[in-house]
Amino acid sequence: MMPGIRRKDTPIPDDSRFPAVALPESLDSFELFDSLDSGAFADLAQSIAWIDLEAGQTLFRRGDPADAVYLVQSGLLHAQAEETGCAPVLVGRIEPGSLVGEIGLLMGGRRGATIMAAQRTRLGRLGAKDIETVFARHPETKRAVLETTRRRLRRTQWLKILASYFGEIDKDKLDLIEPRFEWLHLDRGETLFSQGDEADGLYILIHGFLQVVAADAPGAERTIGSISRGEIVGEMAILSGDKRMATVRAVRDSDLVRLSKAEFDQISRAYPAVSLAIMRILVKRLRDRGRTTHRPGAVNVALVPADPRVPLAELAGRLRGALACADRTALVNSRSLASELPAMENIAQASDDSPLHLGLATWLEDLEARHDYVLYECDAEATPWTRRCIGQADQVLIVGRTGDDPAPGKIEREWLAETDDVLAAPQTLILIHPNGNNLPSGTLAWLEERRLAGHVHLRWDCDDDFARLARIISRRSVGLVLGGGGARGMAHLGVLRALRERGIPVDMVAGTSIGAIVGGAIAMGMDEDKLMRLCRETLQESNPFSDFTIPLVSLLRSRKINRAAQQAYGEARIEDLWLGFFCMSSDLSACDVKVHDRGPLWLAARTSASLPGIMVPILHDGAVHVDGGVMNNLPGDIMRRQAGLVIAVDVDSRENMRTELAELPSSWKILWSRILPWKRRILAPNIAEIMMAAIMTGSRKNADAVKDDADLSLEPPVQGIGILDFKAIEATAQAGYEYTRGKLDALPADSPLRRYFV
């Protein structure tokens, strides 16, 4: 910047909002001028008109034409997002030295936010005609200003992230801290660091999306996580000199800041409070290493049609409506770009080598900076805009309609199917159903030809399903995990009733043993009344546990049990359930847990509930599978990878294994005490309870860790209920209901589950 040039007195625009000011002002503090040559700088400086705003005055509103850019000389402005039907939300503070409204002006568009004065504020105004004149005289200036704007956007994001970690930072601390961080840009596909590299510092992602992969064997990599805007990566280098445990690559163009160990030490010596804040973050990360990983969320979500006839625009609008008030959400498509940027003809279809590319990239980056989520709606065909949407995405939603051809469409084949697995944004299939009259069918054909992170069934006439999809995208989905415990699992019915009465949604379900039996019915869409009838008919009236046999393989035959499971679930398949569902079994052949997330529901539930020694094991491809409780009776660790919030329900009553007897009497004595009315009943655990307690001992440590990690951990009072005692279904369910109501009432005020209370 050329020092010493000051504006000449210029007339104030004829606008009653802006009182006249005639004092000369310095331009030295404005970054806008840093990259300009002296001629362009002098022309702009000559054109500035200085104005004042009083506290509470509006500079401009969202949607207004962008007819000027403003330079904040003193005071403070607030930027507000205003959504229809939602309260205005403060999205930014604009302080002296900042620019306001330059992106809209440069792109010939409209204002993206409402700007108001928080206190008396002085601004310099550069009108659109003045800037156009300067650009005409100095053609290179527009690109220089856009580059400056992009740098400013990233620095603004960086300061917001710093404040989120350390609170408000005064200027002295900021002047010390900011230069210690080194800026780094990664192109899509570029590696930040590789597994086995020496650790040399930590990084904070300012813009973009990173994928974390680990090599299990030479040449074999798997994705183990992702890093989204504002998150730290490689932080353990500050605490130790260990080598990198994984490889981190950019899924899309990304900007980061790096803090070396040496620079961290300098900050620590100068400002111990700041280093203490950093250490707290690192200690929390270290503590969380032993806990279940929380999946980071996407910022940019691309909506891709599986077929050109998919009602993508309506779906995008309804999804944005479901997200908008809880999260600042923007929806952008080729139609909205034409409306927002009318001066830039056909800008949506600009290629990367077009002169319009830099401006569009800057405009989109500004859009992302002002919102929590941006929905990128693709065109119906494979256009340049569609390609840009996919290139911007942290997550891809492939939208199809049940009944359509399940084969991947042209867009998927050209721009999704060939993407490197490691560098691909996660893809989720959204299957639209006209209503919920019939359970979905044929989903497997959609899944087999795609590499998906998951799928969601969406009933078009059900607003609750759009709310569920919004929760999944925003990492607020609620996963209900139901543990095994035989008849004690009837408490799950009461838990579900209490959750629904309070308005807490269930977006996905997992279970083991009896938890799988109940969870599968929940995922089918059954309400509490249907569930109660099903349990009475299947577990009480048909009494499938009376089918005894010669105990060579098990105490019970499988005929009645299999028939009861088939009658309960019919031909339903797991991938066709309304809610996401999985259940666990124990593979004795491989000595490992098995996650059942596809296939016949009855068979998966039956396998998960195959109590060793009591029920006949199930064979899968020659492998022997028994009750999932042997290895994982409460699979909240697996649910945590999918859901934002986890509710874990443990019905494994360890109290049933306590007795006041000095020694166990003979089986005959126990039998006579139960048959003869004059005998005092001997209270001793039966064979089923002993076997169940023995097989679940190994998974209890995992269950305890799951309950510690859960957002809500429930242990209904099921003491004294036998594992096969299905005579008291109603009483057990009522106990679960009353217990859960009490636990919900006692939730702390800051519990994320309270936001759903009704």
Side-chain angles (χ1 to χ4, degrees), residues 543-561 606 609-617 626 667 685-692 695 723-724:
N543 193 14
F545 304 108
S546 61
D547 195 14
F548 291 98
T549 186
I550 299 173
L552 296 178
V553 176
S554 62
L555 293 176
L556 303 175
R557 288 186 291 188
S558 62
R559 184 175 54 192
K560 289 183 70 174
I561 295 170
R606 164 70 176 84
S610 299
L611 300 173
I614 298 175
M615 299 180 188
V616 177
V626 297
S667 299
N686 59 42
I687 184 173
E689 291 170 342
I690 293 172
M691 293 176 68
M692 188 64 181
I695 65 175
I723 194 170
L724 298 179

Coordinates of all heavy atoms in Angstrom, one line a residue, residues 543-561 606 609-617 626 667 685-692 695 723-724:
N543 N -45.7 -69.0 24.0 CA -44.7 -69.6 24.9 C -43.6 -70.4 24.1 O -43.6 -71.7 24.3 CB -45.4 -70.5 25.9 CG -44.5 -71.0 27.1 OD1 -43.4 -70.4 27.3 ND2 -44.9 -72.0 27.8
P544 N -42.8 -69.8 23.3 CA -41.8 -70.5 22.5 C -40.7 -71.1 23.4 O -39.9 -71.9 22.8 CB -41.3 -69.4 21.6 CG -41.4 -68.2 22.4 CD -42.7 -68.3 23.2
F545 N -40.7 -70.8 24.7 CA -39.6 -71.4 25.5 C -40.0 -72.6 26.2 O -39.4 -73.1 27.2 CB -39.2 -70.3 26.5 CG -38.7 -69.0 25.9 CD1 -39.6 -67.9 26.0 CD2 -37.6 -68.9 25.2 CE1 -39.2 -66.7 25.4 CE2 -37.2 -67.7 24.5 CZ -38.0 -66.6 24.6
S546 N -41.1 -73.3 25.8 CA -41.5 -74.5 26.3 C -41.2 -75.7 25.5 O -41.6 -76.8 25.8 CB -43.1 -74.5 26.5 OG -43.7 -74.3 25.3
D547 N -40.4 -75.5 24.4 CA -40.1 -76.5 23.4 C -38.8 -77.2 23.8 O -37.8 -77.1 23.1 CB -40.0 -75.8 22.0 CG -40.1 -76.8 20.9 OD1 -40.5 -78.0 21.2 OD2 -39.8 -76.4 19.8
F548 N -38.9 -78.0 24.9 CA -37.6 -78.6 25.4 C -37.2 -79.8 24.5 O -38.1 -80.4 23.8 CB -37.8 -79.1 26.8 CG -38.0 -77.9 27.8 CD1 -39.2 -77.5 28.2 CD2 -36.8 -77.3 28.3 CE1 -39.3 -76.4 29.1 CE2 -36.9 -76.2 29.1 CZ -38.2 -75.8 29.5
T549 N -36.0 -80.1 24.6 CA -35.4 -81.2 23.8 C -34.3 -81.9 24.6 O -33.9 -81.4 25.7 CB -34.9 -80.7 22.4 OG1 -34.5 -81.9 21.6 CG2 -33.7 -79.8 22.6
I550 N -33.8 -83.0 24.0 CA -32.6 -83.6 24.7 C -31.4 -82.6 24.6 O -31.0 -82.1 23.5 CB -32.2 -84.9 23.9 CG1 -33.4 -85.9 23.9 CG2 -31.0 -85.5 24.5 CD1 -33.2 -87.1 23.1
P551 N -30.9 -82.3 25.8 CA -29.9 -81.2 25.8 C -28.5 -81.5 25.3 O -27.5 -81.5 26.1 CB -29.9 -80.8 27.3 CG -30.2 -82.1 28.0 CD -31.2 -82.8 27.1
L552 N -28.4 -81.9 24.0 CA -27.1 -82.2 23.4 C -26.5 -80.9 22.9 O -25.3 -80.7 23.0 CB -27.2 -83.3 22.3 CG -27.7 -84.6 22.8 CD1 -27.8 -85.6 21.6 CD2 -26.7 -85.2 23.8
V553 N -27.3 -80.1 22.2 CA -26.9 -78.8 21.7 C -27.5 -77.7 22.5 O -26.8 -76.7 22.7 CB -27.3 -78.7 20.2 CG1 -26.9 -77.3 19.7 CG2 -26.7 -79.8 19.4
S554 N -28.7 -77.8 22.9 CA -29.4 -76.8 23.7 C -30.5 -77.3 24.5 O -31.0 -78.5 24.2 CB -29.9 -75.7 22.7 OG -30.8 -76.2 21.9
L555 N -31.0 -76.6 25.4 CA -32.2 -77.0 26.2 C -33.5 -77.0 25.4 O -34.4 -77.7 25.6 CB -32.4 -76.1 27.5 CG -31.3 -76.3 28.5 CD1 -31.5 -75.2 29.6 CD2 -31.2 -77.7 29.1
L556 N -33.5 -76.0 24.5 CA -34.8 -75.8 23.7 C -34.5 -76.1 22.2 O -33.4 -75.9 21.7 CB -35.2 -74.3 23.8 CG -35.5 -73.8 25.2 CD1 -35.9 -72.4 25.2 CD2 -36.7 -74.6 25.9
R557 N -35.5 -76.6 21.5 CA -35.5 -76.8 20.1 C -35.7 -75.4 19.5 O -36.2 -74.5 20.1 CB -36.5 -77.8 19.6 CG -36.2 -79.2 20.0 CD -37.2 -80.1 19.4 NE -38.5 -80.0 20.0 CZ -39.5 -80.9 19.7 NH1 -39.3 -81.8 18.9 NH2 -40.7 -80.7 20.4
S558 N -35.4 -75.3 18.2 CA -35.6 -74.0 17.5 C -36.9 -73.8 16.8 O -37.2 -72.7 16.3 CB -34.4 -73.8 16.5 OG -34.4 -74.8 15.5
R559 N -37.7 -74.9 16.7 CA -38.8 -74.9 15.8 C -39.8 -73.8 16.2 O -40.2 -72.9 15.4 CB -39.5 -76.2 15.8 CG -40.7 -76.3 14.8 CD -41.2 -77.8 14.8 NE -41.5 -78.2 16.2 CZ -41.7 -79.5 16.5 NH1 -41.7 -80.4 15.5 NH2 -42.0 -79.9 17.7
K560 N -40.3 -73.8 17.5 CA -41.3 -72.8 17.9 C -40.7 -71.4 18.0 O -41.4 -70.4 17.6 CB -41.8 -73.2 19.3 CG -42.7 -74.5 19.3 CD -43.2 -74.8 20.7 CE -44.3 -73.7 21.1 NZ -44.9 -74.1 22.4
I561 N -39.4 -71.3 18.4 CA -38.8 -70.0 18.4 C -38.7 -69.4 17.0 O -39.0 -68.2 16.8 CB -37.4 -70.1 19.1 CG1 -37.6 -70.6 20.6 CG2 -36.7 -68.8 19.0 CD1 -36.3 -70.9 21.2
R606 N -33.4 -63.4 15.7 CA -33.3 -64.7 16.2 C -31.8 -65.1 16.5 O -31.5 -65.7 17.6 CB -33.9 -65.7 15.2 CG -33.5 -67.2 15.5 CD -34.2 -67.8 16.7 NE -33.9 -69.2 16.8 CZ -32.8 -69.7 17.3 NH1 -31.9 -68.9 17.8 NH2 -32.6 -71.0 17.3
A609 N -30.5 -63.3 19.6 CA -31.1 -63.8 20.9 C -30.8 -65.3 21.1 O -31.6 -65.9 21.9 CB -32.6 -63.5 20.9
S610 N -29.8 -65.9 20.5 CA -29.6 -67.3 20.6 C -28.7 -67.6 21.9 O -27.5 -67.7 21.8 CB -28.8 -67.8 19.4 OG -29.6 -67.7 18.2
L611 N -29.4 -67.7 23.0 CA -28.7 -67.8 24.3 C -28.0 -69.2 24.3 O -28.6 -70.2 24.1 CB -29.7 -67.9 25.5 CG -30.6 -66.6 25.6 CD1 -31.6 -66.8 26.7 CD2 -29.7 -65.4 26.0
P612 N -26.7 -69.1 24.5 CA -25.9 -70.4 24.4 C -26.3 -71.4 25.5 O -26.5 -71.1 26.6 CB -24.4 -69.9 24.7 CG -24.4 -68.5 24.4 CD -25.8 -68.0 24.7
G613 N -26.5 -72.6 25.0 CA -26.9 -73.7 25.9 C -28.4 -73.7 26.1 O -29.0 -74.8 26.5
I614 N -29.1 -72.7 25.8 CA -30.6 -72.6 26.0 C -31.3 -72.7 24.6 O -32.2 -73.5 24.4 CB -31.0 -71.3 26.7 CG1 -30.4 -71.3 28.1 CG2 -32.5 -71.2 26.8 CD1 -30.6 -70.0 28.8
M615 N -30.8 -72.0 23.6 CA -31.3 -72.0 22.3 C -30.3 -72.6 21.3 O -29.1 -72.5 21.5 CB -31.8 -70.6 21.8 CG -32.8 -70.0 22.7 SD -33.3 -68.3 22.1 CE -34.3 -67.8 23.4
V616 N -30.8 -73.1 20.2 CA -30.0 -73.7 19.2 C -29.2 -72.5 18.5 O -29.8 -71.5 18.1 CB -30.8 -74.4 18.1 CG1 -29.9 -75.0 17.0 CG2 -31.6 -75.6 18.8
P617 N -27.9 -72.6 18.3 CA -27.2 -71.6 17.6 C -27.6 -71.5 16.2 O -28.2 -72.4 15.6 CB -25.7 -72.1 17.7 CG -25.7 -73.0 18.9 CD -27.0 -73.7 18.9
V626 N -24.0 -67.2 18.2 CA -24.9 -67.2 19.4 C -25.2 -65.8 19.8 O -24.9 -64.8 19.2 CB -24.2 -68.0 20.5 CG1 -24.0 -69.5 20.1 CG2 -22.9 -67.3 20.9
S667 N -31.0 -79.7 43.2 CA -32.1 -79.4 42.3 C -33.4 -79.9 42.8 O -34.4 -79.2 42.6 CB -31.8 -79.9 40.9 OG -30.6 -79.3 40.4
P685 N -30.8 -68.7 41.9 CA -30.7 -68.4 40.5 C -30.9 -69.8 39.8 O -30.4 -70.8 40.2 CB -29.4 -67.8 40.2 CG -28.5 -68.2 41.4 CD -29.5 -68.3 42.6
N686 N -31.7 -69.7 38.6 CA -31.9 -70.9 37.9 C -30.8 -71.1 36.8 O -30.0 -70.2 36.6 CB -33.3 -71.0 37.2 CG -33.5 -69.8 36.3 OD1 -32.6 -69.4 35.5 ND2 -34.7 -69.2 36.4
I687 N -30.9 -72.2 36.1 CA -29.8 -72.5 35.1 C -29.7 -71.5 34.0 O -28.6 -71.1 33.6 CB -30.1 -74.0 34.5 CG1 -28.9 -74.3 33.6 CG2 -31.4 -74.0 33.8 CD1 -29.0 -75.8 33.1
A688 N -30.9 -71.0 33.6 CA -30.9 -70.0 32.5 C -30.2 -68.7 33.0 O -29.4 -68.1 32.3 CB -32.3 -69.7 32.0
E689 N -30.5 -68.3 34.2 CA -29.9 -67.1 34.8 C -28.4 -67.2 35.0 O -27.6 -66.3 34.7 CB -30.6 -66.7 36.1 CG -32.0 -66.2 35.9 CD -32.8 -66.1 37.2 OE1 -32.3 -66.7 38.2 OE2 -33.8 -65.4 37.2
I690 N -28.0 -68.4 35.5 CA -26.6 -68.6 35.7 C -25.8 -68.6 34.4 O -24.8 -68.0 34.2 CB -26.4 -69.9 36.4 CG1 -26.9 -69.8 37.8 CG2 -24.9 -70.3 36.5 CD1 -26.9 -71.2 38.6
M691 N -26.4 -69.3 33.3 CA -25.7 -69.3 32.0 C -25.7 -67.9 31.4 O -24.7 -67.5 30.9 CB -26.5 -70.3 31.1 CG -26.4 -71.7 31.5 SD -27.4 -72.9 30.5 CE -26.5 -72.8 29.0
M692 N -26.8 -67.2 31.5 CA -26.8 -65.8 30.9 C -25.8 -64.9 31.6 O -25.1 -64.2 31.0 CB -28.2 -65.3 31.0 CG -28.4 -64.0 30.3 SD -28.2 -64.2 28.5 CE -28.4 -62.5 27.9
I695 N -22.2 -65.8 30.5 CA -21.8 -65.5 29.1 C -21.7 -64.0 29.0 O -21.0 -63.5 28.1 CB -22.8 -66.0 28.1 CG1 -24.2 -65.4 28.2 CG2 -22.9 -67.6 28.2 CD1 -25.2 -65.9 27.2
I723 N -34.9 -64.5 33.7 CA -34.5 -64.2 32.3 C -35.6 -64.7 31.3 O -35.8 -64.2 30.2 CB -33.2 -64.8 32.0 CG1 -32.6 -64.3 30.7 CG2 -33.2 -66.3 32.0 CD1 -31.2 -64.7 30.4
L724 N -36.4 -65.7 31.7 CA -37.4 -66.3 30.8 C -38.8 -66.1 31.4 O -39.8 -66.7 31.0 CB -37.2 -67.8 30.6 CG -35.9 -68.1 29.8 CD1 -35.8 -69.7 29.7 CD2 -35.8 -67.4 28.5

